[in-house]
Amino acid sequence: MASLPMDCSPTFCVPGFWNPFTIFRSRSSRRRRRLHSLGLAAMPEKRPFERLPADVSPINYSLCLKPDLLDFTFEGKLEAAAQVRQATNQIVMNCADIDIITASYAPEGDEEIHATGFNYQNEDEKVTLSFPSTLQTGTGTLKIDFVGELNDKMKGFYRSKYTTPSGEVRYAAVTQFEATDARRAFPCWDEPAIKATFDISLVVPKDRVALSNMNVIDRKPYPDDENLVEVKFARTPVMSTYLVAFVVGEYDFVETRSKDGVCVRVYTPVGKAEQGKFALEVAAKTLPFYKDYFNVPYPLPKIDLIAIADFAAGAMENWGLVTYRETALLIDPKNSCSSSRQWVALVVGHELAHQWFGNLVTMEWWTHLWLNEGFASWIEYLCVDHCFPEYDIWTQFVSADYTRAQELDALDNSHPIEVSVGHPSEVDEIFDAISYSKGASVIRMLHDYIGDKDFKKGMNMYLTKFQQKNAATEDLWESLENASGKPIAAVMNTWTKQMGFPLIYVEAEQVEDDRLLRLSQKKFCASGSYVGEDCPQWMVPITISTSEDPNQAKLKILMDKPEMNVVLKNVKPDQWVKLNLGTVGFYRTQYSSAMLESLLPGIRDLSLPPVDRLGLQNDLFSLARAGIISTVEVLKVMEAFVNEPNYTVWSDLSCNLGILSTLLSHTDFYEEIQEFVKDVFSPIGERLGWDPKPGEGHLDALLRGLVLGKLGKAGHKATLEEARRRFKDHVEGKQILSADLRSPVYLTVLKHGDGTTLDIMLKLHKQADMQEEKNRIERVLGATPLPDLIQKVLTFALSEEVRPQDTVSVIGGVAGGSKHGRKAAWKFIKDNWEELYNRYQGGFLISRLIKLSVEGFAVDKMAGEVKAFFESHPAPSAERTIQQCCENILLNAAWLKRDAESIHQYLLQRKASPPTV
């Protein structure tokens, strides 16, 4: 399953979204006492939970479903070939929001035994079928007739609203089963390790498209109703329930065959087939890439990718029928921006990787979810780099995934990559940046440590050994260890079984012609230096480069102890030395003052590679947030980026300045930090201009949008005037804005606009035919500055005009837009909690909503207020997120107390004597 794109969007940074702000080390223990006093230091006890008994298990599900697209109900008939492994008089299955009408079991060659009772355990989402006599060991057929509801919760078998080209509102019936929602569509053994084959039939209106995991093998009139047809699909391979899917609706499609002969189709809303062509091209290139990389063929005859109107996640990897948000699949050649193309390419790469890694070989239990998601989140970049080398995608990985994971993992309320999961309500909590982004980052580090050749060999061994079975993390380590001869399990257990990551402190001494490095490792904490006893240790693959060849590792070592001395041979006194070449190792680095001084010219003259410039700046910013160095020191370093040409380096810098701006919105010198932003971004803005130049590419388009958005939001006069002029021409139809300029222009005019501007934006939203354009507008509406307009935007967020999954980004945009917006968004959530919780309850969107709305606060008492609200309004699947948000609020408050005055003095002094660039 693909998560949603990072909240520091490629076009402009929305501050305060997933920002674990940090605090001074000498106050760490005091802050931890404060956490304890608020009850934030430990997660609550887990609910008791038992997995399904193993006495009866499925071999094959023969399932027929008949959805009613008008009444929003469905009828189902299940005939499951089952194996009774141990004599019993009951069968326990998963079942939620389904009413069983009749149930029976017929042992092979014997008479049918009708169930005499259905005992629903709603809390555990189970049903126990009781039989009057004992079911003996052996095989038989379990028959169940049942009915259910096509719900509006974007999980299970649900309804998705769409508008036909003629303007009529209709509904499709679609599925989202991961993690534990197949049980809402049919009674089943809904655990990833209980695999079976599936024969699926759908009874649907004859003018609708019906799709499932496999190809259609029969389509015939339904005897009871001439308006219906029964569509039968081929038998699936052995698979887990969470990967089953079916869709009934109205769609067009484009198709091709991959070079391996697999039929690839992209299904789009009616009339928008053209918008499926980009994803089709990516999918057709991606399948052969993975087949060659894994040396295992794609096992199904077809793969469909389909755009679903109402969809909670980014996408879902159902085997052979991958479902997507419209914005994660559809690209309009004229109206889609460069960042949308890139996101579509990444999400297609992510989901198709799962067809092997997750679907063919599946995690044994949700504890190993990270293996699915972390691996797919890493290899999607490998795939996009193969398809689109011009994207410089690995540099973007560092900004989008690596640093994002480190921010979350520095918190006391983080969690290990591998989390012991029991009750279904706990599963949604781990679809987070640790499972996805830290998982991807440590796999990237592992790949670098092993080398590509042995990594591919190990992956092939793993997939071949466990195909159509289930595996655990240890099984992958064993395969990679056999392929590489390196101590993979010993190294990786330090990264997956304990939370957090190390800070490597390094100092250097010149000894004749050599450089002696003294390294030490300690857990990095958002609150400063680690103060507990028994500091965790990691086995850290460390690469060291020098100015002699900045792109090549001079030395590679495995740091397996708290302290280590390393000698670099033949390093001249005037050469710099840098750790973590390519920002691949999952650690932060703190250099001695002398080493840092020697690295800074490499930022200004660009002799440090882009990803190393990014890593150096990001490490310094995090050290400042943690109170280990002064924030003023980082601001000085940021000014050295004046010659920076790289989009991703600017993107990370922009995010960090956004974080700082959010923090300083709590002070009376917010305008001064905006002046600093304008000073930093003006030179690159002038160099780029507004219009593309001949020979520019993808990254130039991303950079222009980012820089103009940053300058416009900060109130840069020339940018604001030009944005207003271009917006007027756009609205009047004189000169339509290019897709890459729309977000920065919309943001700028709204931030410095009035009620008329907002009304025009809402009108553009209503007129937009493309979901990407609607989302683009929704994300910037919160920039509007006036209290009454902010209230209007919040009301709009819950209106019929906004799709349910997109309400979250509208409210989040308000919270990230201004200090007043943050307060208003929090009040709005409290006032409308019942409706919002009912809409998103078990899913991760509720966690996202909470995170976006409260994490920018920087007053101690707000942490208590947030905690108290959620104690009286529980959200079980968001418990960890709530803890993290409260921790961040306290960290923000401490950072503000610690550094606000020195930042203010620095900005005033700068104003009095501006630096020469």
Side-chain angles (χ1 to χ4, degrees):
M1 189 153 66
S3 64
L4 299 179
M6 59 183 230
D7 299 303
C8 269
S9 81
T11 312
F12 61 94
C13 181
V14 183
F17 273 17
W18 34 260
N19 305 326
F21 298 107
T22 45
I23 169 178
F24 187 50
R25 57 182 159 181
S26 67
R27 300 180 196 173
S28 298
S29 54
R30 189 189 316 162
R31 187 196 63 84
R32 286 198 172 89
R33 285 198 297 275
R34 179 96 179 96
L35 279 177
H36 277 286
S37 73
L38 279 171
L40 301 178
M43 288 294 292
E45 282 184 30
K46 295 192 170 193
R47 291 167 65 177
F49 172 75
E50 282 182 14
R51 284 166 69 166
L52 293 170
D55 46 10
V56 181
S57 59
I59 301 163
N60 168 267
Y61 293 85
S62 180
L63 176 66
C64 180
L65 289 171
K66 181 172 169 245
D68 186 323
L69 301 175
L70 298 175
D71 290 343
F72 306 137
T73 58
F74 62 89
E75 298 170 16
K77 284 184 180 296
L78 172 67
E79 290 193 16
Q83 173 96 37
V84 177
R85 299 174 186 282
Q86 194 172 332
T88 179
N89 62 356
Q90 58 183 34
I91 296 176
V92 182
M93 304 169 76
N94 291 113
C95 180
D97 304 331
I98 278 175
D99 288 325
I100 294 174
I101 312 296
T102 61
S104 66
Y105 179 79
E108 200 170 322
D110 211 335
E111 286 184 20
E112 194 171 20
I113 307 166
H114 289 274
T116 49
F118 317 134
N119 179 20
Y120 297 95
Q121 294 104 53
N122 293 335
E123 273 281 291
D124 290 331
E125 300 181 344
K126 291 176 183 172
V127 66
T128 301
L129 309 178
S130 301
F131 294 89
S133 57
T134 301
L135 313 181
Q136 300 299 331
T137 55
T139 57
T141 303
L142 175 66
K143 292 183 182 179
I144 302 178
D145 289 358
F146 58 95
V147 293
E149 180 197 5
L150 288 174
N151 69 69
D152 59 356
K153 304 288 188 289
M154 293 185 285
K155 62 182 186 177
F157 198 14
Y158 71 93
R159 61 186 187 263
S160 170
K161 185 164 80 169
Y162 64 97
T163 307
T164 65
S166 64
E168 186 187 341
V169 171
R170 290 184 185 165
Y171 290 85
V174 302
T175 56
Q176 169 58 42
F177 290 165
E178 189 177 25
T180 56
D181 291 314
R183 63 193 65 175
R184 290 173 206 284
F186 57 102
C188 55
W189 289 263
D190 198 11
E191 295 183 1
I194 307 180
K195 290 188 167 188
T197 57
F198 290 81
D199 293 309
I200 290 171
S201 300
L202 297 172
V203 177
V204 302
K206 62 184 179 186
D207 60 349
R208 296 295 193 267
V209 172
L211 301 170
S212 187
N213 305 82
M214 296 297 286
N215 49 299
V216 175
I217 53 170
D218 191 24
R219 184 183 172 99
K220 60 187 181 193
Y222 187 62
D224 300 349
D225 188 334
E226 61 180 17
N227 295 311
L228 301 179
V229 289
E230 183 173 358
V231 183
K232 229 177 182 168
F233 300 90
R235 176 169 291 188
T236 69
V238 172
M239 62 188 283
S240 303
T241 48
Y242 79 89
L243 295 167
V244 172
F246 15 91
V247 173
V248 180
E250 295 174 281
Y251 300 94
D252 285 344
F253 68 86
V254 285
E255 74 176 326
T256 189
R257 281 198 179 270
S258 73
K259 71 176 190 190
D260 303 317
V262 178
C263 178
V264 185
R265 285 184 176 180
V266 174
Y267 283 84
T268 73
V270 172
K272 296 186 178 179
E274 180 79 9
Q275 294 178 22
K277 285 185 174 174
F278 178 74
L280 185 71
E281 176 196 329
V282 175
K285 283 183 184 173
T286 298
L287 282 176
F289 172 75
Y290 287 143
K291 181 213 160 201
D292 294 344
Y293 195 86
F294 299 131
N295 199 17
V296 174
Y298 174 72
L300 305 187
K302 63 94 176 176
I303 188 154
D304 298 328
L305 294 74
I306 185 166
I308 304 294
D310 294 328
F311 198 76
M316 175 62 210
E317 68 266 21
N318 317 298
W319 216 357
L321 176 57
V322 186
T323 44
Y324 294 78
R325 273 191 183 204
E326 287 186 10
T327 49
L329 191 68
L330 304 182
I331 291 295
D332 181 327
K334 287 201 181 95
N335 295 300
S336 287
C337 62
S338 301
S339 57
S340 292
R341 287 172 189 276
Q342 184 175 294
W343 190 41
V344 168
L346 284 167
V347 178
V348 169
H350 181 102
E351 302 309 332
L352 297 196
H354 277 311
Q355 306 302 304
W356 284 263
F357 208 96
N359 300 6
L360 183 65
V361 178
T362 311
M363 73 237 147
E364 195 280 331
W365 185 246
W366 300 108
T367 297
H368 306 280
L369 170 79
W370 86 273
L371 206 54
N372 268 15
E373 298 304 348
F375 184 84
S377 298
W378 168 75
I379 206 168
E380 70 185 62
Y381 283 86
L382 197 72
C383 169
V384 168
D385 192 46
H386 165 78
C387 295
F388 303 99
E390 69 275 16
Y391 285 9
D392 183 30
I393 203 73
W394 280 116
T395 306
Q396 295 194 55
F397 173 89
V398 175
S399 182
D401 282 89
Y402 173 100
T403 58
R404 181 184 181 193
Q406 287 191 334
E407 286 167 3
L408 184 54
D409 206 27
L411 296 178
D412 289 351
N413 285 291
S414 180
H415 62 83
I417 282 178
E418 278 193 50
V419 182
S420 177
V421 171
H423 197 276
S425 67
E426 295 164 17
V427 181
D428 277 316
E429 276 200 286
I430 58 169
F431 282 91
D432 66 359
I434 300 298
S435 295
Y436 282 76
S437 298
K438 184 181 179 182
S441 298
V442 299
I443 286 172
R444 174 172 171 253
M445 178 172 68
L446 174 64
H447 174 264
D448 186 69
Y449 173 58
I450 293 177
D452 191 60
K453 187 181 170 191
D454 285 345
F455 189 87
K456 282 161 83 169
K457 186 177 160 192
M459 290 305 310
N460 173 260
M461 289 163 67
Y462 171 79
L463 289 169
T464 306
K465 182 176 179 181
F466 293 101
Q467 59 184 317
Q468 299 198 352
K469 300 192 187 99
N470 296 78
T473 304
E474 292 71 24
D475 298 315
L476 178 60
W477 297 164
E478 187 183 340
S479 295
L480 291 171
E481 203 158 293
N482 289 338
S484 68
K486 291 187 173 178
I488 305 303
V491 171
M492 294 307 291
N493 285 345
T494 68
W495 297 97
T496 63
K497 293 189 183 296
Q498 60 185 3
M499 75 179 199
F501 58 91
L503 170 66
I504 307 290
Y505 179 75
V506 54
E507 53 189 14
E509 183 186 333
Q510 189 73 25
V511 182
E512 296 177 353
D513 293 336
D514 304 332
R515 194 75 56 90
L516 170 67
L517 302 183
R518 295 187 183 87
L519 310 179
S520 59
Q521 63 160 298
K522 215 169 196 185
K523 185 180 189 297
F524 179 76
C525 299
S527 54
S529 292
Y530 184 79
V531 293
E533 295 171 16
D534 302 324
C535 186
Q537 296 293 313
W538 287 264
M539 292 177 75
V540 192
I542 288 181
T543 51
I544 305 170
S545 59
T546 70
S547 47
E548 184 182 18
D549 188 349
N551 293 295
Q552 198 61 41
K554 190 172 179 74
L555 188 65
K556 290 186 174 187
I557 57 168
L558 185 66
M559 186 176 181
D560 55 1
K561 52 185 81 139
E563 294 177 354
M564 204 172 205
N565 288 350
V566 177
V567 176
L568 288 179
K569 294 286 186 187
N570 303 317
V571 177
K572 297 185 180 74
D574 61 347
Q575 290 179 343
W576 53 252
V577 170
K578 184 183 179 296
L579 264 62
N580 206 3
L581 173 67
T583 318
V584 172
F586 197 73
Y587 56 90
R588 293 210 180 275
T589 307
Q590 184 185 1
Y591 294 96
S592 66
S593 301
M595 287 186 79
L596 182 60
E597 280 300 316
S598 71
L599 283 165
L600 295 184
I603 293 176
R604 203 176 273 273
D605 67 18
L606 309 179
S607 58
L608 270 171
V611 71
D612 290 288
R613 300 196 294 270
L614 188 160
L616 189 61
Q617 180 267 137
N618 197 281
D619 278 351
L620 288 169
F621 189 75
S622 294
L623 290 168
R625 289 163 78 178
I628 294 169
I629 64 172
S630 155
T631 305
V632 169
E633 294 308 307
V634 185
L635 291 174
K636 288 176 182 172
V637 170
M638 284 178 170
E639 296 190 75
F641 283 86
V642 67
N643 301 316
E644 181 58 56
N646 184 279
Y647 159 69
T648 312
V649 178
W650 275 114
S651 174
D652 198 66
L653 198 65
S654 169
C655 269
N656 289 340
L657 279 171
I659 289 164
L660 199 54
S661 294
T662 298
L663 185 77
L664 299 180
S665 68
H666 297 275
T667 70
D668 55 6
F669 59 92
Y670 177 72
E671 287 312 313
E672 272 88 341
I673 193 67
Q674 298 313 301
E675 289 301 317
F676 181 85
V677 169
K678 285 186 269 189
D679 286 348
V680 171
F681 278 82
S682 293
I684 181 72
E686 283 167 25
R687 287 203 300 273
L688 284 167
W690 279 81
D691 298 306
K693 298 173 184 66
E696 285 189 351
H698 174 79
L699 293 166
D700 301 292
L702 292 181
L703 180 56
R704 181 172 288 106
L706 173 82
V707 171
L708 292 175
K710 203 71 180 173
L711 286 169
K713 189 176 183 191
H716 183 257
K717 191 167 180 290
T719 306
L720 176 55
E721 286 170 1
E722 183 65 8
R724 281 175 170 158
R725 185 188 72 75
R726 289 183 181 239
F727 182 66
K728 184 171 181 288
D729 286 353
H730 176 72
V731 172
E732 291 173 358
K734 288 181 189 168
Q735 180 71 50
I736 299 302
L737 282 165
S738 73
D740 286 312
L741 288 180
R742 287 183 202 173
S743 278
V745 167
Y746 294 169
L747 170 72
T748 302
V749 298
L750 271 168
K751 181 72 180 171
H752 307 282
D754 55 17
T756 306
T757 318
L758 179 61
D759 287 343
I760 293 169
M761 289 302 305
L762 293 174
K763 188 178 173 190
L764 286 177
H765 181 277
K766 196 172 186 66
Q767 290 169 349
D769 178 49
M770 196 182 171
Q771 196 56 33
E772 179 187 325
E773 176 74 354
K774 286 186 184 290
N775 285 171
R776 197 172 5 243
I777 293 166
E778 287 160 2
R779 284 199 300 268
V780 298
L781 290 174
T784 194
L786 304 171
D788 57 327
L789 301 183
I790 284 171
Q791 215 45 54
K792 187 173 180 178
V793 171
L794 288 168
T795 305
F796 172 76
L798 274 179
S799 71
E800 286 288 311
E801 296 291 318
V802 179
R803 286 189 178 163
Q805 69 266 27
D806 298 323
T807 297
V808 173
S809 55
V810 180
I811 298 172
V814 170
S818 63
K819 184 180 179 182
H820 180 81
R822 198 155 40 247
K823 290 177 179 170
W826 172 232
K827 182 176 187 304
F828 185 79
I829 284 174
K830 291 187 291 183
D831 291 347
N832 295 277
W833 178 249
E834 197 174 326
E835 182 178 348
L836 289 163
Y837 185 69
N838 186 45
R839 182 184 285 194
Y840 303 125
Q841 42 191 334
F844 59 83
L845 281 175
I846 199 76
S847 295
R848 190 175 178 84
L849 176 69
I850 294 165
K851 190 178 183 67
L852 296 186
S853 303
V854 306
E855 210 168 45
F857 286 114
V859 183
D860 280 357
K861 69 173 187 183
M862 279 306 302
E865 184 181 315
V866 170
K867 178 176 181 286
F869 179 79
F870 288 111
E871 278 176 348
S872 57
H873 302 82
S877 67
E879 277 176 357
R880 194 187 304 274
T881 298
I882 294 160
Q883 303 254 351
Q884 290 164 349
C885 289
C886 292
E887 183 177 351
N888 271 325
I889 294 167
L890 295 176
L891 290 166
N892 294 349
W895 187 13
L896 201 57
K897 283 174 201 156
R898 183 179 70 244
D899 274 4
E901 187 50 38
S902 61
I903 294 170
H904 191 196
Q905 289 309 314
Y906 172 71
L907 295 174
L908 289 175
Q909 172 196 334
R910 216 178 149 275
K911 211 173 182 178
S913 52
T916 52
V917 239

